[in-house]
Amino acid sequence: MALSFAKRQNMQAAHHYILLASKIRPIAKYSYVNAVFYLQQKKYKEALFCLKAASNMGAGSAQNRMDILNAEGVCHMQLGDNEEALKLFREVVNAPGLTSR
């Protein structure tokens, strides 16, 4: 349902349903999706909070971890913390064995 509301630009409802899903089953995917919603709204501090939560829950695959790090880099770049952004982007680019960068 959250994705359906996000497509219709009803972000308040999208966040609401993601938070409900997280309460039922707290997994990194829900925090990551919530962060992506915040990125779309240019709410970078909120997105960083969700990305940190997703990372702390365990990203799962190496590709998921790289997706989280990349999104964190975007947030830091938009917030003017270029050093942290570059550090994160370098980690993504230099990750061994990943082909879809």
Side-chain angles (χ1 to χ4, degrees):
M1 288 193 77
L3 295 175
S4 175
F5 281 109
K7 286 180 186 176
R8 291 183 272 167
Q9 299 300 311
N10 185 345
M11 298 313 289
Q12 184 177 2
H15 288 295
H16 172 76
Y17 281 104
I18 284 290
L19 290 175
L20 282 177
S22 293
K23 286 181 181 179
I24 294 169
R25 186 172 170 218
I27 58 174
K29 177 181 177 179
Y30 296 144
S31 290
Y32 177 75
V33 170
N34 207 21
V36 170
F37 290 162
Y38 281 126
L39 279 169
Q40 291 172 343
Q41 296 175 276
K42 299 181 183 345
K43 294 183 177 182
Y44 302 110
K45 289 182 182 180
E46 293 88 343
L48 268 176
F49 178 79
C50 294
L51 291 165
K52 294 289 184 194
S55 185
N56 289 338
M57 287 181 205
S61 73
Q63 183 63 53
N64 291 351
R65 180 169 158 26
M66 294 303 108
D67 291 343
I68 290 170
L69 290 174
N70 188 62
E72 283 183 30
V74 169
C75 291
H76 282 288
M77 182 179 68
Q78 292 298 327
L79 292 170
D81 187 2
N82 293 329
E83 290 301 316
E84 184 65 20
L86 283 172
K87 180 183 130 202
L88 293 164
F89 291 143
R90 283 185 186 114
E91 189 172 344
V92 171
V93 170
N94 293 324
L98 297 178
T99 57
S100 62
R101 291 189 211 126

